[in-house]
Amino acid sequence: MAGFSDSVEQISISGIREVFEAAGEDAINLGLGQPDFPTPEHARRAAVDAIQSGAADGYTSNKGTRALREAIAHKHERDEGFAVDPEDVIATAGGSEALHLVMEAHVDPGDEVLIPDPGFVSYDALTKLAGGEPVPVPLREDLTLDPAAVEERITDDTVAFVVNSPANPTGTVASESDIREFARIADEHDVLCVSDEVYEQMIFDGDHYSPYEFAESDNVVVVNACSKTYSMTGWRLGWVTGASERVERMLRVHQYVQACASAPAQYAAEAALSGPQEPVAEMCAAFERRRDLVLDGLADAGLECPRPEGAFYAMPEVPEGFVDEVIERGVVVVPGEAFGANGAGHARISYATGEEDLKEALEIVADAAAAVR
């Protein structure tokens, strides 16, 4: 058999999948990062209309339809208060492809990319696929990323660092002062700040800030998606935006690996972004109630957990053997080490599931914690 590339041999199937396979069919799934709400009806209808009219039959522009990119630009002005040129937007196959484009366009073999640890599993893998070297940055005790910890790890080989707020897997939200510091670091050290803002609408305490609005250089790119905000994970529609020169380089990758994002999904995303936003507020309110339910349940189980301020994840400290015990009892949670070495001793709990299931699962969590102490 012919061999395989060095880059693909450095990565493996996500540890999250191993957890799913170990769980029974009737298990309560607290491991999935997918909202349990329907895609808004007006977004679905827009896709149906585009299909029935024939508008979605052909390729779109490589960057995506002009109307979608204008809707994305308007969304950034409406929600974050900064201007984005629609020409500097690429619609992608989810936030995952957007991250892939960033890495491929900016990372050479041997380059270092600083990533939060624990952090989203794709940061490590996509850096390696681009030939780079991921450099883990341990989080603070409250599971937020410390700008000082990022800055002290910058070397002559560093080309980028990743910021994710609200964060997966921790649910933490970066403060305005930290985000300003990340922008300063990108400016002063001439390195790229990759700002993953996929969960930016899911905030319960405080506000969302983007380094894009504070940077004085062109050293910030923003990755976002409709997946979480509009419960559109299956539609696979995200985007990346940044300076024109960066977008042009990322487009070179995108046009060969993807050509364009799915046309029906683009029409659905345009409607989601420009239409009524009440479904987003309703989801966010539901997640906040669930967050409080989870924190109370974890406290009752004697498990310490930094207070999540956004997304729909909690990452408590757990005793040894806890994850296996919980799975054996019929509840899926993800071991913290799936998100990096510094995640050891933690577990990620997703509360993107109904409250009755959460209540039942939290009782099992308490029993499992007691059993392994």
Side-chain angles (χ1 to χ4, degrees):
M1 177 185 290
F4 303 98
S5 70
D6 290 339
S7 58
V8 81
E9 289 295 275
Q10 291 186 65
I11 66 173
S12 59
I13 300 299
S14 168
I16 299 174
R17 293 292 142 195
E18 296 177 4
V19 173
F20 292 155
E21 292 173 5
E25 292 183 2
D26 298 327
I28 300 174
N29 194 338
L30 303 187
L32 194 61
Q34 175 170 289
D36 61 323
F37 295 89
T39 299
E41 180 59 31
H42 59 280
R44 291 180 176 183
R45 175 49 52 188
V48 171
D49 290 345
I51 291 168
Q52 291 181 336
S53 70
D57 285 355
Y59 292 119
T60 71
S61 162
N62 289 137
K63 290 182 179 178
T65 68
R66 177 73 188 191
L68 171 58
R69 289 181 285 120
E70 287 177 348
I72 290 169
H74 175 69
K75 170 259 177 301
H76 283 295
E77 184 175 3
R78 176 190 69 206
D79 297 339
E80 288 89 44
F82 57 77
V84 169
D85 187 333
E87 286 300 308
D88 292 333
V89 174
I90 303 173
T92 60
S96 298
E97 194 216 346
L99 286 168
H100 179 59
L101 299 185
V102 174
M103 297 303 182
E104 290 293 342
H106 294 92
V107 179
D108 279 323
D111 286 345
E112 294 177 349
V113 178
L114 311 185
I115 61 173
D117 181 6
F120 181 43
V121 294
S122 291
Y123 304 147
D124 179 273
L126 292 176
T127 297
K128 290 175 179 176
L129 284 175
E133 179 68 30
V135 178
V137 180
L139 305 182
R140 297 176 174 124
E141 287 189 13
D142 67 356
L143 300 183
T144 58
L145 182 63
D146 185 355
V150 171
E151 191 163 27
E152 70 184 16
R153 285 167 174 77
I154 291 177
T155 71
D156 290 342
D157 294 324
T158 304
V159 296
F161 65 95
V162 179
V163 174
N164 178 209
S165 177
N168 177 7
T170 64
T172 55
V173 175
S175 66
E176 180 181 1
S177 60
D178 281 353
I179 292 295
R180 286 183 178 275
E181 277 295 283
F182 292 132
R184 178 192 62 78
I185 290 168
D187 290 340
E188 292 186 4
H189 292 273
D190 196 28
V191 295
L192 182 68
C193 175
V194 184
S195 186
D196 180 350
E197 303 181 13
V198 165
Y199 295 91
E200 51 102 1
Q201 290 292 320
M202 299 296 158
I203 290 187
F204 320 129
D205 305 312
D207 297 299
H208 170 74
Y209 298 96
S210 172
Y212 193 91
E213 60 187 299
F214 301 124
E216 296 179 1
S217 66
D218 289 333
N219 289 341
V220 176
V221 293
V222 173
V223 168
N224 209 323
C226 290
S227 300
K228 314 299 183 177
T229 302
Y230 299 101
S231 195
M232 293 177 64
T233 54
W235 294 84
R236 310 312 302 134
L237 198 292
W239 67 88
V240 61
T241 186
S244 298
E245 288 183 84
R246 299 194 186 281
V247 168
E248 196 274 339
R249 268 62 173 191
M250 290 186 283
L251 185 64
R252 297 180 192 180
V253 181
H254 174 70
Q255 67 180 359
Y256 292 115
V257 302
Q258 190 66 27
C260 65
S262 160
Q266 289 190 52
Y267 287 100
E270 178 194 343
L273 289 161
S274 59
Q277 299 301 297
E278 286 81 5
V280 179
E282 292 168 4
M283 277 196 294
C284 192
F287 287 136
E288 184 173 7
R289 290 193 300 271
R290 296 176 188 180
R291 185 274 309 266
D292 294 342
L293 181 66
V294 167
L295 287 180
D296 288 344
L298 293 175
D300 291 343
L303 299 175
E304 294 187 5
C305 181
R307 181 181 179 84
E309 296 179 327
F312 35 74
Y313 306 110
M315 202 168 193
E317 295 183 41
V318 297
E320 186 175 352
F322 170 82
V323 172
D324 290 339
E325 185 71 21
V326 170
I327 291 174
E328 288 179 8
R329 292 169 181 259
V331 173
V332 178
V333 299
V334 183
E337 53 266 34
F339 303 96
N342 289 302
H346 294 77
R348 190 192 76 171
I349 293 174
S350 168
Y351 43 91
T353 192
E355 291 187 20
E356 292 307 311
D357 279 348
L358 276 177
K359 291 175 182 177
E360 182 180 349
L362 288 166
E363 291 179 2
I364 296 172
V365 163
D367 291 343
V372 297
R373 282 198 177 99

